[in-house]
């Protein structure tokens, strides 16, 4: 490469990197706030009394949080949820969105499930997602989407959450290769009235169980870094579709 070509290439590189934030700011999600709740936390196991204290979930008393499940090979659910969440946040930010998180690391305890819902409500998210993976029967496969049931605080977001859930299911089927759950819900959709995150939400929200950590085929996907990025892309695709169409 001669000097002129080098200078032109350097200039182009400089321009493209200078333009990137501006295009993100003007991206399809500019002005939107997305709530991300990576389920559980990496050190929840270390404080059982905190974890087991009861919080009001809108209908009944529920444990503050749980440790989450793990694959038979020992890959913990909090690591999985945090990994997908980080990938998702990067994709959404690149589209111009602001992200509100319920936790910023994977080496802490909590927060409790009621507090997670309040963080996202107070952050005025346009839509939120709770990310989990299930500890189901070892012969069962696939992902399921858990949706809220009207109970007062969430009354205004039942219909929008239903629509969001259908969009998430479509993107996840199309983009991840993970099958729809063979054991949970009806065609991948389950309505749940026992979860603070869904009972207390005042924004459209669903909880996704991205797969079954106790099934070996699902676990092979969930433990793959490449697959987790694919899952995050599917969730970003769904969020963008939900907010822009
Ligand atoms: Zn979970």
């Amino acid at each position: 490469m001669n000097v002129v070509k080098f200078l032109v290439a350097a200039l182009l590189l400089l321009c493209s990197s200078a333009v990137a934030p501006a295009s993100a700011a003007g991206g399809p999600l500019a002005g939107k706030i997305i709530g991300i709740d990576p389920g559980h936390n990496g050190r929840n196991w270390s404080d059982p009394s905190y974890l087991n204290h009861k919080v009001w979930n809108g209908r009944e008393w529920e444990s503050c949080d749980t440790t989450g499940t793990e694959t038979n090979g020992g890959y913990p659910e909090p690591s999985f949820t945090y990994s997908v969440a980080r990938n998702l946040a990067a994709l959404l930010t690149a589209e111009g969105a602001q992200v509100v998180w319920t936790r910023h690391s994977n080496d802490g305890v909590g927060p409790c499930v009621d507090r997670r819902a309040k963080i996202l409500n107070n952050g005025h998210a346009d839509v939120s997602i709770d990310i989990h993976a299930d500890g189901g029967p070892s012969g069962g496969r696939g992902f399921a989407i858990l949706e809220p049931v009207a109970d007062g605080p969430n009354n205004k977001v039942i219909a929008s959450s239903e629509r969001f859930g259908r969009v998430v299911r479509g993107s996840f089927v199309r983009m991840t290769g993970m099958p729809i759950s063979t054991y949970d819900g009806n065609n991948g959709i389950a309505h749940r009235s026992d979860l603070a995150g869904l009972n207390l939400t005042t924004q459209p929200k669903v909880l996704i169980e991205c797969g079954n950590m106790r099934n070996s085929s699902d676990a092979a996907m969930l433990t793959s870094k490449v697959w987790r990025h694919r899952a995050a892309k599917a969730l970003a695709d769904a969020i963008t579709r939900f907010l822009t169409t």
Side-chain angles (χ1 to χ4, degrees), residues 34-35 46 72 90 101 110 112 156 188 199 202 208 217 223-224 228 236:
I34 319 297
S46 69
N72 292 342
W101 292 79
C112 296
K156 288 185 180 155
N199 289 351
T202 56
I208 183 164
S217 303
T223 55
S224 153
R228 290 196 297 274

Side-chain angles (χ1 to χ4, degrees), residues 55-217:
V55 298
W56 185 249
N57 77 7
R59 278 179 195 269
E60 59 193 341
W61 295 97
E62 177 183 358
S63 292
C64 156
D65 201 356
T66 63
T67 56
T69 185
E70 62 181 18
T71 65
N72 292 342
Y75 181 60
E77 185 188 351
S79 304
F80 169 80
T81 67
Y82 194 61
S83 169
V84 173
R86 282 178 60 121
N87 279 302
L88 176 59
L91 292 164
L92 295 173
T93 306
E95 289 190 58
Q98 248 181 285
V99 170
V100 180
W101 292 79
T102 56
R103 61 178 171 107
H104 291 277
S105 77
N106 192 42
D107 54 12
V109 178
C112 296
V113 285
D114 61 328
R115 176 86 193 120
R116 291 174 189 249
K118 285 167 198 161
I119 290 169
L120 302 183
N121 289 343
N122 294 340
H124 304 290
D126 293 287
V127 65
S128 289
I129 187 139
D130 290 351
I131 302 170
H132 287 256
D134 199 18
S138 63
R141 285 212 63 188
F143 77 92
I145 291 160
L146 314 189
E147 295 189 0
V149 175
D151 63 4
N154 65 15
N155 283 1
K156 288 185 180 155
V157 297
I158 298 299
S160 52
S161 298
E162 295 266 350
R163 183 171 83 81
F164 180 47
R166 286 193 298 272
V167 178
V168 172
R169 181 179 59 189
S171 297
F172 226 71
V173 163
R174 233 183 15 260
M175 298 172 67
T176 70
M178 182 66 80
I180 286 175
S181 179
T182 60
Y183 65 91
D184 192 7
N186 182 1
N187 197 16
I189 306 278
H191 292 89
R192 293 281 293 266
S193 61
D194 59 331
L195 301 170
L198 300 179
N199 289 351
L200 300 174
T201 187
T202 56
Q203 324 113 3
K205 187 202 261 181
V206 299
L207 183 157
I208 183 164
E209 301 278 15
C210 294
N212 178 10
M213 298 199 100
R214 294 297 184 179
N215 174 278
S216 56
S217 303

